[in-house]
Amino acid sequence: MNARPLPANKPSLVVIGNGMAGMRTVEELLKLAPELYDITVFGAEPHGNYNRILLSPLLAGDKNMDDIMLNPREWYGQNGITLHAGDPVVSIDRHRRLVCSRAGVDIRYDRLLLATGSKPFIIPVPGHQLPGVIAFRDIQDVETMLAAARNYRHAVVIGGGLLGLEAANGLLRQGMDVTVVHVMDSLMERQLDKSAAVLLKKALEQKGLRFLLNAQTAEIIGDTQVTAVRFKDGNEIPADLVVMTAGVRPNIGLAQQAGLHCERAIVVDDTLQTYDPRIYAVGECVQHRMATFGLVAPIWDQARVCGAHLAGAGHRRYVQQATATKLKVTGVDLYSAGDFIGGVGSEDLVLRDPRRGVYKRLVINGPHIIGAVLYGDVKDGPWYFELIQNKTDISAMRSQLLFGKALCAEAA
């Protein structure tokens, strides 16, 4: 197919990736320079842009498709954007400044934005390609899980992080018997210390979930459909559906094929520009100063900076900020920030209130708080995070610190 001719008066911006990072960047650009580019967006999924964070409530039945859409198809037309949904780009020709889609659509670009996100990591054990083994990444995965819940009974979720627990809760809510398999000895080890993880496990067991910790998956069993999961110790459990939530990897295949500089992800500078000055990248596919990204807050910051540079208002620089994690896992409030493990010279301040289901642990180093884990009562989380960021001297309020901001203010 011949490349589409472009309007003579407008440069072309092509966006590869119709997810949250790419479309947030386009929204930031449109705020600053709505008429600057002829914009074309390619997306692998046959939808407008939706909120991937809300896939869990969609699975649980608390939301429907309309509730999770951020930019329906009409939005693209209203903003003069050409959308190729369900037609991913398969190649980039940097010499000719041309992208080509799976359906054979060729578009030239003056600026290219890569927002290809990440791919779920499927543990390559025997049987991982059987029907009934899926990830939890998009609307199609949710539809597959809902169909399984209507027709089958046993679900196994591999991975005890946030995504795995949300998938497990959704499947439980849909009536399946669910076992969560985790290779570590405690749940959500990146966000919680072991005491908080034990409380979370008990709360989820009371809801009906089962857990196998320190369990290494050796094989997924089945002929034409998954029927069981076998572990390294020889034990096995029945499974009609296996959901892999064992992490993600930056989706950089297209960038690598185009010869862009990649390490763990696509390397960008403080303006989100790649080593090719015509090509920018944002979101889970990028690596900035050795870091990669999975949380919304830093990706929104990237979108603001990248949108400004695409608009020609290039005075902003992306600066990585410390982030706190506030989560609600199946009705349980959690909050963690900073170095909540601690080390040589650090001390712990701990409050346990089993009757109220509250646990707080603050990690202190000298006159400073350096980390916090809160379970059940998280209202003071942002205040603790502020103390961590500002390196506030907490010596005078140390004895009241666990009881929160209000009591510390009274004591002062």
Side-chain angles (χ1 to χ4, degrees), residues 115-300:
T116 49
S118 58
K119 296 187 296 188
F121 176 64
I122 302 297
I123 303 168
V125 293
H128 73 276
Q129 293 176 312
L130 278 170
V133 180
I134 64 166
F136 182 25
R137 189 68 188 156
D138 57 31
I139 287 171
Q140 180 60 54
D141 293 329
V142 172
E143 289 172 351
T144 301
M145 284 192 254
L146 291 173
R150 287 191 294 270
N151 297 306
Y152 297 108
R153 181 178 171 197
H154 299 288
V156 173
V157 176
I158 298 177
L162 174 63
L163 196 62
L165 297 182
E166 290 189 332
N169 177 61
L171 291 167
L172 183 73
R173 294 267 302 273
Q174 294 295 338
M176 296 193 84
D177 291 338
V178 186
T179 302
V180 177
V181 174
H182 196 41
V183 71
M184 307 297 283
D185 63 356
S186 66
L187 300 173
M188 290 182 65
E189 68 280 355
R190 290 186 180 180
Q191 290 90 10
L192 300 178
D193 65 8
K194 290 194 175 179
S195 295
V198 166
L199 290 172
L200 179 63
K201 178 172 174 281
K202 282 181 183 171
L204 297 179
E205 283 172 338
Q206 286 170 0
K207 289 174 182 283
L209 291 175
R210 285 189 291 273
F211 294 92
L212 291 176
L213 303 181
N214 286 317
Q216 283 191 292
T217 304
E219 184 180 359
I220 296 169
I221 300 164
D223 295 322
T224 57
Q225 167 78 21
V226 57
T227 58
V229 176
R230 182 177 294 145
F231 303 101
K232 286 215 169 148
D233 62 6
N235 288 328
E236 61 181 71
I237 57 174
D240 306 304
L241 174 73
V242 174
V243 183
M244 294 258 194
T245 59
V248 295
R249 302 288 184 271
N251 186 9
I252 59 174
L254 195 61
Q256 287 175 315
Q257 172 241 311
L260 288 172
H261 179 53
C262 298
E263 292 173 5
R264 281 184 303 149
I266 304 166
V267 176
V268 296
D269 65 13
D270 293 348
T271 71
L272 284 307
Q273 197 176 67
T274 69
Y275 275 57
D276 182 329
R278 291 184 179 273
I279 303 179
Y280 292 78
V282 292
E284 293 182 329
C285 64
V286 308
Q287 176 180 320
H288 172 263
R289 296 179 183 260
M290 304 306 293
T292 55
F293 307 90
L295 297 174
V296 167
I299 290 171
W300 273 191

Side-chain angles (χ1 to χ4, degrees), residues 339 341-347 364-366 370:
D339 174 10
I341 302 300
V344 178
S346 70
E347 303 172 76
I364 309 294
N365 196 328
I370 61 169

